[in-house]
Amino acid sequence: MKSDSPKMRSMFGDAPSGGFFDLPMASPGTTEDADIIIIGAPAATPYPSVGNYCATAPDAIRAAFGWPGVLGHHDFDIDGRLLPDTVKALDWGNLGYSDSDFSANRESITGTVEQVLDNGALPLVLGGDDSVPIPVLQAFREHGPLTILQFDAHIDWRDEVGGETMGLSSNMRRASEMTWVENIIQVGARGIGSARPPDRKDALEWGARLFPMREVVRDGIDPIIAAIPENARLYIALDIDAMDPAVVPAVIGPAPGGFSYWHLLEIIEAAAARASIVGFNLVELMPSADIGGRGALVAARILAMIMGLAARQRHHSS
Ligand SMILES: [Mn+2]
C-alpha cells in the first residue's frame, strides 16, 4: 500500500541503517578505526524554565535524510561522494540523559567525546540545547589548543542565568575559562539576546572576535577568515539559530536576518581551507517548532557538508 506522503527513501528500496545519512551505527566506545564519529547528546544542562526542548533533535536530523546506499551517490554540493573510500564514519546513536542529574549528563558527554578523541577520530555532536558544547569542549583538555568558530544569533557570554552557570547562555564564557581554548571567533550575533552590555564587554576584553551579522552582510566573509590562525585546530560550534528563521524555523528564539545555507557554507568551506576541523557541534534545533521538517533537513545538510569537508582533510593528511 502506498502512503499518502511517500518518502524519498521508499524509492530506493531497503531500510536505511538508522544512522545519519545511512552510516553504520555502533555502540558508544566501539570505534572500529573510524575517522569520524557522530554522537547524539539530547541534553546536558537545560534551564528548568524550558526543559529539554531539543531532546528529539538528533533523531529528527537522522530522519531528515537517510536513503539506503546514498553515500555511494554523487553529492553536488561537495562535487563528489560525500565520504572518500579511505574515510570511515560511524554513528554512535544517542547518549542517555537525566532530567535532574545534569552533572551526570555532562560527565557522560565529556567521557564519550574523550573516547573519540583518544582514538584520533573527529567527534560531530548533535545536541540538545546550547549547553551541550560546554562538556564537549571539556573533553579537549588534552587535545588542544583550540580555536572556536561559533555561529550563533547570540554570544552566550552570561556568567549565569537563574543561578545556573552551565546553561545555554554561558557556553562561550565557560569556553573562555578553558586554558586550551586560545581563540574565540563569534559570527552572526543580531537583534537582542541574553547578553547585557557588560557581557559583550567581557567578551571583547578576553579577546573574542565578534562579527555581528550586520558586519558580515556589510563586509563579507574575508575578515572572519582572516581572524582564524592558519593551521589552527578548529572547533566549529553551530547554534542553528544562526540561520535565518525562514531557512530554519525550528528554534526557540527566531532572530530575523540570519544566514542562508550557501552563505554559511561559504564561511565553513573557507575556514576548512585554512584550518583543521577537530570538532563540531550542532545545537538548538527544536523539532516541535519545525515546519514540515525543513529545519531538520537544513541541519542534516550542514552536518553532511561538515562531514564531507572534514573527511577530505583527513583523507589528504593521512
Ligand atoms: Mn547559543
Side-chain angles (χ1 to χ4, degrees):
M1 170 102 55
K2 286 197 212 63
S3 156
D4 287 340
S5 62
K7 298 276 191 301
M8 198 76 172
R9 68 180 54 154
S10 308
M11 241 190 276
F12 291 89
D14 304 312
S17 69
F20 176 70
F21 261 60
D22 202 33
L23 288 174
M25 296 202 75
S27 310
T30 313
T31 58
E32 297 178 17
D33 295 324
D35 305 282
I36 297 172
I37 295 175
I38 291 174
I39 300 164
T45 318
Y47 293 132
S49 52
V50 286
N52 290 325
Y53 58 88
C54 297
T56 59
D59 285 340
I61 294 168
R62 290 188 185 95
F65 202 100
W67 318 342
V70 73
L71 285 167
H73 295 198
H74 185 84
D75 189 317
F76 282 88
D77 293 5
I78 205 157
D79 196 22
R81 285 175 58 182
L82 197 60
L83 292 179
D85 281 333
T86 52
V87 176
K88 182 172 181 180
L90 286 179
D91 186 338
W92 277 1
N94 297 338
L95 302 179
Y97 64 93
S98 165
D99 286 324
S100 54
D101 189 347
F102 301 154
S103 68
N105 293 343
R106 294 191 294 266
E107 279 170 30
S108 164
I109 293 169
T110 300
T112 305
V113 175
E114 276 172 349
Q115 283 184 301
V116 174
L117 295 171
D118 288 345
N119 280 282
L122 169 71
L124 305 179
V125 180
L126 305 178
D129 74 20
D130 211 349
S131 64
V132 167
I134 298 172
V136 176
L137 288 164
Q138 284 286 350
F140 284 81
R141 181 185 295 272
E142 307 293 333
H143 297 275
L146 292 182
T147 289
I148 297 175
L149 176 61
Q150 181 227 30
F151 297 96
D152 198 321
H154 317 101
I155 62 170
D156 299 343
W157 269 80
R158 286 284 293 265
D159 187 45
E160 54 80 35
V161 173
E164 178 56 73
T165 59
M166 303 297 272
L168 65 93
S169 292
S170 303
N171 56 59
M172 287 299 118
R173 185 180 293 264
R174 295 290 87 79
S176 77
E177 295 161 351
M178 299 177 193
T179 53
W180 53 98
V181 173
E182 286 189 337
N183 307 288
I184 301 179
I185 301 158
Q186 304 191 239
V187 182
R190 59 193 190 270
I192 296 175
S194 60
R196 290 88 42 104
D199 300 315
R200 174 178 169 275
K201 186 162 166 277
D202 287 350
L204 293 170
E205 280 178 1
W206 184 86
R209 295 289 306 275
L210 304 186
F211 295 94
M213 199 68 198
R214 283 212 81 157
E215 290 183 20
V216 181
V217 172
R218 185 189 67 205
D219 301 335
I221 72 167
D222 291 351
I224 302 168
I225 303 307
I228 302 171
E230 277 187 83
N231 302 314
R233 296 169 50 79
L234 192 68
Y235 183 94
I236 300 177
L238 172 63
D239 180 329
I240 203 74
D241 71 21
M243 308 302 286
D244 193 82
V247 177
V248 177
V251 296
I252 196 167
F259 284 100
S260 74
Y261 171 70
W262 292 119
H263 195 186
L264 184 83
L265 270 197
E266 196 185 352
I267 300 175
I268 291 175
E269 284 185 331
R274 188 172 170 94
S276 299
I277 301 170
V278 299
F280 172 72
N281 68 251
L282 191 163
V283 296
E284 290 290 332
L285 183 81
M286 183 164 77
S288 62
D290 211 351
I291 298 173
R294 180 199 304 168
L297 182 60
V298 173
R301 219 23 265 186
I302 294 168
L303 175 61
M305 286 301 285
I306 293 276
M307 192 167 74
L309 291 168
R312 278 153 181 74
Q313 290 184 338
R314 288 183 174 246
H315 177 63
H316 294 302
S317 63
S318 62

